[in-house]
Amino acid sequence: MKIYSHKPEGYECPFCRIVSGIERPNQGTKQRDIIFHNEYATAFIASKWWPNNKGHVLVIPNQHFENIYELPAEYAAEIHKAAQLVAFAMKDTYKCDEISTRQHNEPAGNQDVWHYHLHVYPRYENDNLYMTKGQQSDPNERPFYGEKLRSWIRENG
């Protein structure tokens, strides 16, 4: 099969850093933001938030696959199992109305990190998710959401 790659030469993957436990001071995702991890997938509170959908989660494969074209079926299945677990945790702990998932591939598809990832958003009536832009979250606010989801997953997952 043809591989569609857009990562720049010498790309240092931020999601591979998360999986390997490497943190950058005052930047990006911290290990405390991880809410789920198994052999195939890791889920964590995203460092970029939408104004009305705080605490959204990214689910990534633990191995580096740039996009959906490279993602093996066994990883896809595990990622979606993890996303479903996160969705149940969000519904119960955030008391959100619904859940949305979305996934982007290639530049025209709005992919901006060259490691496959699936977004899981808490949704609320009239939240305007698709009419707003994401911004960096406050790293001190993320643990509040992370602990809620982690606790639910420990008890129910």
Side-chain angles (χ1 to χ4, degrees):
M1 287 206 198
K2 189 172 181 180
I3 300 297
Y4 298 93
S5 179
H6 298 277
K7 68 181 176 188
E9 187 73 32
Y11 182 68
E12 185 184 330
C13 180
F15 293 166
C16 287
R17 270 199 320 268
I18 293 164
V19 172
S20 63
I22 299 169
E23 291 184 5
R24 289 212 166 142
N26 303 319
Q27 264 189 325
T29 301
K30 305 298 179 205
Q31 292 297 296
R32 69 178 185 222
D33 298 328
I34 295 173
I35 62 164
F36 173 84
H37 176 82
N38 71 13
E39 179 182 348
Y40 293 93
T42 298
F44 53 91
I45 302 294
S47 62
K48 186 176 181 183
W49 285 1
W50 275 248
N52 303 316
N53 308 87
K54 290 184 175 184
H56 104 271
V57 169
L58 294 177
V59 184
I60 63 170
N62 293 338
Q63 190 172 329
H64 185 89
F65 303 105
E66 183 173 326
N67 50 42
I68 198 166
Y69 309 112
E70 294 181 6
L71 188 68
E74 64 270 18
Y75 279 87
E78 291 293 327
I79 287 165
H80 279 273
K81 285 180 191 175
Q84 184 182 46
L85 188 64
V86 168
F88 279 119
M90 281 182 176
K91 284 285 284 183
D92 283 355
T93 64
Y94 292 5
K95 306 300 183 204
C96 53
D97 298 320
E98 289 95 22
I99 299 293
S100 285
T101 62
R102 73 182 187 193
Q103 194 275 318
H104 308 280
N105 296 282
E106 302 182 277
N110 290 325
Q111 184 177 9
D112 59 2
V113 176
W114 309 114
H115 185 123
Y116 179 94
H117 54 288
L118 178 67
H119 296 261
V120 183
Y121 290 95
R123 297 299 308 274
Y124 305 91
E125 186 135 353
N126 300 315
D127 64 13
N128 296 314
L129 174 67
Y130 299 113
M131 294 178 229
T132 58
K133 285 241 178 233
Q135 300 173 11
Q136 278 303 118
S137 63
D138 178 347
N140 297 316
E141 203 174 347
R142 292 194 305 260
F144 171 76
Y145 293 92
E147 187 48 44
K148 281 183 174 205
L149 298 177
R150 227 181 349 270
S151 292
W152 189 96
I153 289 169
R154 265 194 308 265
E155 293 173 22
N156 302 282

